Amino acid sequence: MHHRPSRRTLLTATAATAAVAVTGGVLAPGAVAAPTSASGGSYGSAATTARLKRLISRMSLEEKVGQLFVMRVYGHSATEPDQADIDANLSEIGVRTAAELIAKYHVGGIIYFAWAHNTRDPHQIADLSNGIQSAGLAGPTPLPVLIATDQEHGIVCRVGEPATLMPGAMALGAGGSRSDARRAGQIAGAELAAIGIKQNYAPDADVNVNPANPVIGVRSFGSDPQSVAGMVAAQVKGYQRGGVAATSKHFPGHGDTSTDSHTGLPVINHTREQWAELDAPPFRAAIAAGIDSIMTAHIVVPALDPSEDPATLSRPILTGILREELGYDGVVVTDSLGMEGVRTKYGDERVPVLALQAGVDQLLNPPNLAVSWNAVLEAVKSGELSEARIEESILRILRLKTKLGLFDDPFVTHEGVDRTVGTKPHLEAADRIAERTTTLLANEGAVLPLSRLSHKNLLVVGADPASPSGTTGPPTTTLATAFGELGYAATALSTGTAPSKAKIDEAVAAAQGKDAVIVGTYNVSATSSQRTLVSALAATGIPVITVAIRNPYDIARLEGTGYAANLATYSWTDVELRAAARVIAGRAEPRGKLPVPVQRADDPTQVLHPVGYGLTY
């Protein structure tokens, strides 16, 4: 196990020179290499800025360039990852470990992913974070590292159980409570901070006005700009009170697209006026709430920049609108530079330079760090990028590190993990918040709530998509277990997102003798065999309750299948599925209201259920 380093030894050995340079005097007990933190009220003060500028002036050009990058790295440990992760690092980055990455490239940030094996469990994550900070402080200029992740909750979640998993954005939008959104953010932020993650790429500030949106969808709070704005502001305040930097994304707004920017370059044809009315309000609200960072979108918005450069590379959008028009002076971070949307028009060696020229501060996860890092270095040496320009970004980054307390003490403790992560009060709060998000969209013949006297024997079938965090589910088992704990006899049968005729026949046979069937549906399409499954089960005469475990639009595709009731959970994480079970069982009232309209499947110009629709008992 990687033990937390001795601060006294570490600082004496690695930080004394830089700290004396910054403070001009004796190294104070507990200081790392720089300024007073935000906790002392000096974040953004003239004195702090002056100290940071002195620190920057003593950094080499290579160190300055490194501070601009936030990079992935494989492994559960900063110094002793598994051999497979060493091999992956050598192949993709040319280093063996996170510590070597920091030593070679001086990166200012690291992003954690579950698929990179960074997030096994809270104590391991804390040790990894401490190892990364030790590496940062071992450099020529000792600097703490800003560790980030995408912990949106709901369908995008990198840190799983036993950490507390909250309802995602659209679920919170259905709950409609800004207090719940703020509380969810504060709990999530506190738990991330306890394991050393101090920048969270959440909340999503996109207004999802396109039901066919393949990349945002339930990651958005809804389709009403003002409602989304209120929820975004609440989450920003919650996360930042919890001790992490919140990040609203994806500027200037990714909500009206049918193209996934991971695989293509979306074009959004909103007029300037439509953008101001539909897309801008949540970002304005985030800025007014004191947002620490904003993430760019790899999208083209011709009305905002006729050059048709992606927003990530657009000076008119990032400097002209975000900086100058909206008055934002915090950190701007790109979406991943490995996504196809930003690589379509320019080569990987041009993208980071153009992003910095556009007004970006942090360059996130380039596909080839050596190419990107050297491109920026050469651009500064050649004069294409001025050193003063990159120092503006470094100052913003270091100010944020100061505000987050990373210059005071970047390390976390196992005691802090145990005291904060996945505690009973946090888990109970998540359950209560989730109950207020579950949305009842249909209840034919008042079949719900299901009485244990008349509907005790249940079959749970349906889709079992992989857990967002890799630690929960599968959904059918989670639902069956939850019903069992509520006093029902429940059997689970996974039928998948495209059940075969054999699997449908198996489900129909398993339904014999049951009092009701619960079907978890997942993004039902016009030709989906999930429709056939629901129809076949309903034809048995047994009540069928469908639960949309991702998009609430499933109900439109299920019209005419004979279901008895329909609910929307907006995600398939355990906390939302358990809440749905309690609602179905009558242990909780359905309180959620649709935060997006559901159009008719046979005529999308007509609304089946409007925003604000939701039944109660």
Side-chain angles (χ1 to χ4, degrees):
M1 178 184 291
H2 174 90
H3 294 286
R4 180 175 184 267
S6 161
R7 285 177 63 203
R8 188 177 189 82
T9 303
L10 183 71
L11 300 180
T12 301
T14 66
T17 302
V20 170
V22 172
T23 61
V26 179
L27 181 66
V32 169
T36 309
S37 79
S39 59
S42 61
Y43 171 60
S45 71
T48 297
T49 297
R51 285 193 292 268
L52 287 174
K53 286 183 174 179
R54 288 197 295 273
L55 174 60
I56 294 169
S57 72
R58 288 166 172 82
M59 294 165 62
S60 69
L61 179 58
E62 289 77 10
E63 288 176 306
K64 291 176 183 177
V65 170
Q67 279 299 298
L68 304 172
F69 285 92
V70 181
M71 188 61 184
R72 69 189 178 280
V73 66
Y74 291 86
H76 71 286
S77 163
T79 54
E80 298 178 352
D82 295 338
Q83 187 60 48
D85 293 322
I86 291 174
D87 294 343
N89 285 328
L90 286 170
S91 173
E92 293 187 20
I93 315 172
V95 299
R96 292 165 50 85
T97 67
E100 290 183 13
L101 167 67
I102 293 166
K104 182 173 182 177
Y105 290 105
H106 316 290
V107 294
I110 297 284
I111 179 173
Y112 286 171
F113 292 104
W115 53 258
H117 310 136
N118 304 140
T119 57
R120 290 181 179 177
D121 65 75
H123 284 284
Q124 167 268 318
I125 299 170
D127 288 335
L128 173 60
S129 298
N130 284 342
I132 286 170
Q133 297 299 352
S134 294
L137 297 182
T141 305
L143 292 167
V145 178
L146 185 52
I147 298 170
T149 199
D150 292 280
Q151 189 79 349
E152 297 176 18
H153 293 266
I155 72 167
V156 176
C157 214
R158 312 302 188 205
V159 179
E161 292 183 343
T164 306
L165 298 181
M166 288 288 176
M170 192 169 285
L172 291 170
S177 168
R178 295 181 185 181
S179 175
D180 280 352
R182 184 168 53 250
R183 176 71 173 142
Q186 188 164 356
I187 289 172
E191 295 199 8
L192 289 174
I195 56 178
I197 297 172
K198 299 289 279 187
Q199 185 177 23
N200 189 20
Y201 298 141
D204 193 299
D206 301 310
V207 181
N208 200 78
V209 295
N210 188 337
N213 194 324
V215 64
I216 305 301
V218 293
R219 297 168 62 191
S220 163
F221 289 103
S223 63
D224 177 74
Q226 297 307 319
S227 296
V228 172
M231 300 301 279
V232 166
Q235 284 243 287
V236 167
K237 292 174 182 175
Y239 280 123
Q240 294 186 180
R241 287 176 187 172
V244 300
T247 309
S248 59
K249 58 187 184 184
H250 307 81
F251 190 83
H254 207 319
D256 189 9
T257 174
S258 55
T259 301
D260 186 343
S261 50
H262 292 84
T263 57
L265 179 57
V267 177
I268 294 183
N269 289 310
H270 289 180
T271 66
R272 190 67 159 73
E273 293 73 25
Q274 287 173 324
W275 174 81
E277 181 182 348
L278 292 174
D279 301 294
F283 292 101
R284 291 184 184 275
I287 294 167
I291 187 80
D292 283 327
S293 49
I294 290 177
M295 180 178 284
T296 67
H298 304 326
I299 59 173
V300 168
V301 189
L304 304 185
D305 182 356
S307 76
E308 299 195 5
D309 280 344
T312 297
L313 311 181
S314 168
R315 185 170 178 83
I317 291 175
L318 298 187
T319 296
I321 296 176
L322 182 58
R323 295 284 191 212
E324 296 171 359
E325 182 180 323
L326 301 187
Y328 178 67
D329 192 40
V331 169
V332 173
V333 56
T334 69
D335 205 343
S336 170
L337 297 183
M339 293 166 59
E340 194 59 33
V342 78
R343 303 173 75 188
T344 299
K345 193 171 179 180
Y346 300 99
D348 289 338
E349 76 283 354
R350 293 300 299 155
V351 165
V353 176
L354 294 173
L356 291 167
Q357 289 177 333
V360 158
D361 302 307
Q362 289 184 306
L363 301 161
L364 176 61
N365 202 27
N368 187 316
L369 179 59
V371 167
S372 296
W373 190 87
N374 282 304
V376 175
L377 188 66
E378 290 306 312
V380 177
K381 288 181 177 179
S382 71
E384 183 182 9
L385 275 173
S386 72
E387 199 159 349
R389 164 65 194 91
I390 68 167
E391 287 179 354
E392 288 177 17
S393 288
I394 296 164
L395 179 59
R396 289 191 187 100
I397 293 164
L398 296 187
R399 278 170 136 177
L400 181 53
K401 292 181 180 183
T402 303
K403 177 186 177 184
L404 294 168
L406 288 170
F407 279 108
D408 285 341
D409 183 2
F411 299 109
V412 293
T413 66
H414 286 272
E415 295 77 13
V417 172
D418 291 335
R419 190 169 56 245
T420 309
V421 178
T423 62
K424 185 178 179 181
H426 286 182
L427 295 172
E428 289 176 346
D431 281 337
R432 299 292 82 76
I433 291 170
E435 284 178 357
R436 294 189 280 270
T437 69
T438 305
T439 308
L440 179 62
L441 298 177
N443 191 15
E444 303 297 331
V447 66
L448 299 184
L450 283 183
S451 166
R452 280 184 299 162
L453 297 177
S454 57
H455 296 86
K456 184 172 184 178
N457 294 315
L458 307 179
L459 174 66
V460 180
V461 304
D464 275 334
S467 165
S469 65
T471 62
T472 63
T476 54
T477 300
T478 298
L479 280 168
T481 301
F483 282 116
E485 292 171 352
L486 294 169
Y488 296 81
T491 303
L493 173 63
S494 179
T495 51
T497 55
S500 64
K501 183 179 185 305
K503 186 59 73 173
I504 292 170
D505 290 343
E506 182 184 354
V508 169
Q512 299 306 312
K514 302 299 183 185
D515 300 317
V517 182
I518 315 296
V519 183
T521 66
Y522 183 94
N523 293 4
V524 180
S525 67
T527 59
S528 173
S529 57
Q530 294 179 74
R531 277 181 48 85
T532 311
L533 172 68
V534 174
S535 294
L537 288 167
T540 66
I542 301 167
V544 174
I545 295 98
T546 57
V547 181
I549 63 173
R550 184 168 176 164
N551 288 333
Y553 311 114
D554 284 3
I555 188 171
R557 296 292 185 186
L558 295 174
E559 288 290 285
T561 57
Y563 63 80
N566 177 281
L567 300 94
T569 65
Y570 309 97
S571 179
W572 60 97
T573 50
D574 288 10
V575 67
E576 288 159 323
L577 297 175
R578 288 195 306 264
R582 290 194 296 276
V583 169
I584 291 169
R587 302 294 182 89
E589 292 285 329
R591 299 185 187 178
K593 306 295 181 184
L594 279 176
V596 292
V598 175
Q599 279 98 357
R600 295 185 60 88
D602 57 354
D603 183 1
T605 65
Q606 300 297 312
V607 173
L608 177 66
H609 295 306
V611 171
Y613 180 84
L615 304 177
T616 57
Y617 294 151

